[in-house]
Amino acid sequence: MNYASPHLAASIQAAASRSDADSRLLSTIRESRILVVDDQRIVRELLKVYLSAGGYKNLLFAEDGAQALELIAAEEPDLMILDLQMPRMNGYEVCEAVRNDPKHAGLPVLVQTAADSPEDRARVFKSGATDMVGKPINDAELLARVGIHLQNLHMLRQLSIYRSSMERELEAARRMQHGIMPGDDKIAALEQQYGIEIRNLFQTCDALGGDMWNVWRIDDRHMGFTSIDFTGHGVVASLNTFRFQSLTLTDDLDPLDLKNYSERLNRRLNALLQVGQFATAIGGFIDFEENVVRYVSAGAPRPFLLLPGEERGRFIESDGRPLGMTADAAYPVREVPFPPGSMLFMYSDALIETPTMADPVCTETGIADILSVRPEDGSHPFDRLVDDFFSRLDEPLKDDLTMVMLRRPAAAEGAL
């Protein structure tokens, strides 16, 4: 019988993993290429003895600064031990040349010098040296400083590789997230089929976001739409948008039965999401024969509706409990007219809560002012709102921003 604690086993495994990682790092450090630059042969030989005793075998040697630069270009060493007083090109000049070369600007340079006045030290570091070791050289100090700088170098390289890998993965995930939302071809096909205009803006504050929107064909008479905003932003929020999308693709949900559709989605999200995660949302469909919009809301910001003949539009009802918060939430179906010449505008709360809820760049009043005006210059209301928002935004977005406008052209040309 095994009486070992699972926590103890996990700790032992974690310790073993750290030990393996430390061993790999130590092996990498020992395999580093070290360039020794000194015009005195006896010093070069002495440093060779010290470094070899420390386990370093990949050693390069240069007799002066000019030869050092040639070896750096050809061999790309991991660290350079540099004397200052040399013919043809001194150590200061070598340091400056290395730091001015973007390819080798990060090369650790350990200067060996007998000078130790504040002025001398300042000049050494001003030239670009990483560290100093005094003359006469102490082997223990030399090996300690070499080890520290090589460890830092290789850890930074590993971090850079990891960061590059993460950036590639995040970019792939970003493309996937954009891929679950309507592309230009799909939007154009819907506009052609239903005689409707669809405008949108989707912008995340991080590489990935928790917003998403969608429009889709239900049948010849009905077009579905949804806009959803999950709590937070970044990777976790983005994963929740994929979860939501997968739930909507199941065959047992009827998008025309909005009450049942939304309540079943809510229960499924509630079972999937972690405590504290939920989504505000609005969704429904346009009935192009009855000229109405039927929708349900789950705590989303109030959509703006402008009907033909109205001088000023209005914000329609949008309450309800956010999706996924509780399993027993109910979502009543609402209906508003939507004849030709109408416009429906939906948005995430970043539009009216940036930079803060107390002092927003854009308000409901501002939205109504811009979208209700029919300018003589023919500018589009959606473009005017977007331009106004970003022209007054003096800092990066702190939340994901989604805006969607559904607009039915009026019978009269240019009526909206």
Side-chain angles (χ1 to χ4, degrees):
M1 182 177 295
N2 185 2
Y3 294 95
S5 163
H7 299 291
L8 177 59
S11 299
I12 292 173
Q13 184 176 2
S17 298
R18 288 194 299 270
S19 177
D20 289 342
D22 292 343
S23 297
R24 289 193 298 271
L25 177 60
L26 179 60
S27 176
T28 301
I29 290 172
R30 290 290 184 263
E31 294 170 1
S32 300
R33 285 172 290 186
I34 300 175
L35 172 60
V36 176
V37 186
D38 200 296
D39 60 325
Q40 297 184 41
R41 180 179 178 181
I42 189 171
V43 175
R44 296 197 300 272
E45 292 295 331
L46 179 63
L47 291 176
K48 180 180 179 180
V49 170
Y50 288 165
L51 292 170
S52 298
Y56 301 102
K57 305 300 181 184
N58 294 326
L59 306 178
L60 306 167
F61 298 92
E63 298 179 5
D64 55 47
Q67 187 181 17
L69 294 181
E70 293 174 359
L71 283 171
I72 290 172
E75 302 293 339
E76 298 187 356
D78 300 299
L79 180 140
M80 175 167 59
I81 301 174
L82 178 66
D83 188 28
L84 291 178
Q85 304 304 322
M86 296 181 296
R88 291 211 293 170
M89 178 181 285
N90 63 38
Y92 300 109
E93 295 169 325
V94 173
C95 265
E96 291 168 357
V98 168
R99 295 300 176 235
N100 289 329
D101 182 350
K103 186 176 181 181
H104 303 107
L107 175 68
V109 178
L110 181 58
V111 166
Q112 47 166 327
T113 177
D116 196 31
S117 69
E119 295 77 15
D120 290 330
R121 295 176 65 86
R123 185 183 177 190
V124 167
F125 288 113
K126 187 176 180 180
S127 69
T130 308
D131 200 356
M132 296 173 55
V133 60
K135 285 185 175 180
I137 296 173
N138 178 276
D139 58 339
E141 180 187 7
L142 174 72
L143 292 174
R145 293 184 183 274
V146 166
I148 288 172
H149 292 298
L150 286 175
Q151 177 175 319
N152 290 341
L153 173 73
H154 290 296
M155 290 181 69
L156 286 172
R157 285 178 177 174
Q158 291 176 4
L159 181 61
S160 178
I161 293 170
Y162 174 76
R163 179 177 179 180
S164 297
S165 175
M166 286 298 299
E167 288 176 348
R168 289 193 298 272
E169 292 179 6
L170 285 173
E171 175 59 24
R174 188 191 69 82
R175 290 195 299 270
M176 290 174 62
Q177 185 176 24
H178 280 259
I180 66 176
M181 287 176 272
D184 293 341
D185 291 344
K186 179 179 179 180
I187 290 173
L190 292 170
E191 290 178 328
Q192 177 68 28
Q193 177 176 3
Y194 296 111
I196 190 169
E197 181 186 18
I198 303 168
R199 300 291 294 269
N200 72 92
L201 180 143
F202 173 73
Q203 186 168 324
T204 60
C205 61
D206 291 330
L208 299 174
D211 284 11
M212 69 169 292
W213 72 280
N214 197 9
V215 285
W216 69 96
R217 179 188 184 277
I218 297 176
D219 55 35
D220 290 342
R221 172 177 167 176
H222 304 94
M223 186 189 81
F225 65 86
T226 186
S227 177
I228 187 163
D229 178 5
F230 280 92
T231 50
H233 42 80
V235 174
V236 174
S238 175
L239 288 174
N240 286 335
T241 66
F242 287 101
R243 286 170 169 161
F244 178 82
Q245 177 70 0
S246 66
L247 291 177
T248 63
L249 297 177
T250 57
D251 295 332
D252 61 342
L253 293 176
D254 179 3
L256 295 179
D257 183 1
L258 283 177
K259 180 176 175 60
N260 182 58
Y261 184 96
S262 57
E263 291 176 0
R264 293 182 71 177
L265 270 179
N266 173 68
R267 289 194 294 272
R268 292 174 183 180
L269 277 174
N270 178 257
L272 286 173
L273 300 180
Q274 297 178 3
V275 175
Q277 294 181 2
F278 53 84
T280 58
I282 187 165
F285 58 83
I286 302 172
D287 186 327
F288 289 93
E289 289 189 9
E290 294 188 11
N291 292 322
V292 297
V293 167
R294 295 188 178 94
Y295 71 97
V296 295
S297 176
R302 298 195 301 166
F304 179 78
L305 177 67
L306 179 65
L307 297 176
E310 291 184 339
E311 292 187 0
R312 188 176 180 85
R314 59 192 170 92
F315 288 90
I316 59 178
E317 290 183 277
S318 179
D319 50 18
R321 191 168 297 175
L323 293 175
M325 182 174 284
T326 60
D328 59 349
Y331 299 97
V333 179
R334 295 186 170 93
E335 179 178 303
V336 293
F338 200 68
S342 301
M343 174 179 65
L344 180 67
F345 176 70
M346 300 169 287
Y347 53 94
S348 61
D349 57 12
L351 181 61
I352 55 173
E353 295 181 5
T354 297
T356 66
M357 293 178 63
D359 184 27
V361 166
C362 189
T363 63
E364 282 193 349
T365 300
I367 293 171
D369 288 343
I370 293 174
L371 297 186
S372 296
V373 172
R374 296 168 173 83
E376 295 181 358
D377 63 4
S379 60
H380 197 285
F382 187 86
D383 295 336
R384 293 199 306 273
L385 181 59
V386 171
D387 291 344
D388 180 78
F389 175 78
F390 284 102
S391 68
R392 294 190 286 123
L393 182 65
D394 57 3
E395 59 184 48
L397 284 170
K398 296 179 181 177
D399 196 3
D400 308 321
L401 175 62
T402 300
M403 292 191 260
V404 179
M405 178 181 286
L406 306 178
R407 185 171 176 259
R408 293 188 73 182
E413 191 69 28
L416 188 58

